[in-house]
């Protein structure tokens, strides 16, 4: 579910003209993609978990701040995508549908990837805060590359356009 907000300040109730409301997204979208390096590198993503972001948060409009109420954990993650996905040399979505999250990013936020490479299973983690903050209304695409030597590279996230669907004009009397 997306949250939108709009505000018009200093408007008198006696003014009966239409009010133009500019809506903005309050949440951030997150996507996780993965690919392998090398044609002989057999890699399957077993599980992607994202945790440390709030499952519940409050927003205060007067100060435009989010406050974490219920953070998620490794045991109870915000998202867990457990389907086995065989990687190719082209990036594949391994995190499931795009996540819409409160833009609360701190040192507790973790992306954990469990993968099997040439018969050996490993788990690696990445802290997105190392790459900066999350801004509302933006979409962050994280790409993971599993390389031949058994290591994994977390690329700097790409900020890509948030695709809006066209709605209709709603007149409120």
């Amino acid at each position: 579910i997306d949250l939108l907000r709009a505000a018009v300040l200093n408007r008198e109730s006696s003014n009966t003209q239409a009010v133009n409301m500019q809506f903005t997204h309050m949440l951030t979208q997150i996507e996780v993609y993965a690919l392998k390096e090398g044609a002989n590198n057999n890699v399957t993503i077993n599980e992607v978990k994202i945790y440390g972001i709030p499952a519940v948060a409050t927003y205060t409009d007067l100060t435009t701040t989010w406050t974490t109420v219920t953070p998620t954990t490794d045991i109870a993650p915000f998202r867990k995508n457990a389907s086995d996905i065989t990687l190719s040399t082209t990036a594949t979505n391994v995190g499931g549908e795009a996540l819409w999250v409160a833009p609360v990013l701190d040192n507790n936020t973790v992306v954990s990837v469990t993968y099997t490479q040439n018969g050996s299973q490993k788990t690696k983690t990445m802290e997105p805060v190392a790459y900066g903050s999350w801004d509302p209304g933006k979409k962050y695409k994280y790409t993971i590359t599993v390389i031949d030597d058994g290591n994994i590279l977390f690329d700097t996230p790409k900020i890509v356009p948030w695709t809006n669907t066209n709605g209709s004009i709603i007149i409120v009397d």
Side-chain angles (χ1 to χ4, degrees), residues 31-137:
E31 292 184 325
V32 180
Y33 283 73
L35 66 136
K36 69 176 185 173
E37 179 183 82
N40 295 324
N41 189 12
N42 296 316
V43 181
T44 301
I45 299 293
N46 306 113
E47 179 181 82
V48 176
K49 289 193 289 190
I50 300 174
Y51 57 92
I53 55 178
V56 176
T58 59
Y59 177 79
T60 305
D61 198 37
L62 294 176
T63 58
T64 62
T65 57
W66 286 92
T67 306
T68 300
V69 176
T70 308
T72 53
T73 65
D74 179 33
I75 304 301
F78 187 88
R79 162 70 63 82
K80 179 179 177 181
N81 189 14
S83 57
D84 291 335
I85 299 170
T86 301
L87 296 185
S88 70
T89 55
T90 303
T92 302
N93 183 332
V94 295
E97 293 181 16
L99 295 177
W100 292 359
V101 300
V104 179
L105 180 62
D106 60 24
N107 289 324
N108 297 316
T109 305
V110 174
V111 176
S112 172
V113 179
T114 301
Y115 61 99
T116 302
Q117 181 178 28
N118 299 323
S120 177
Q121 191 176 64
K122 301 171 186 173
T123 299
K124 303 280 185 176
T125 61
M126 181 263 296
E127 295 176 356
V129 75
Y131 300 99
S133 62
W134 287 338
D135 293 322

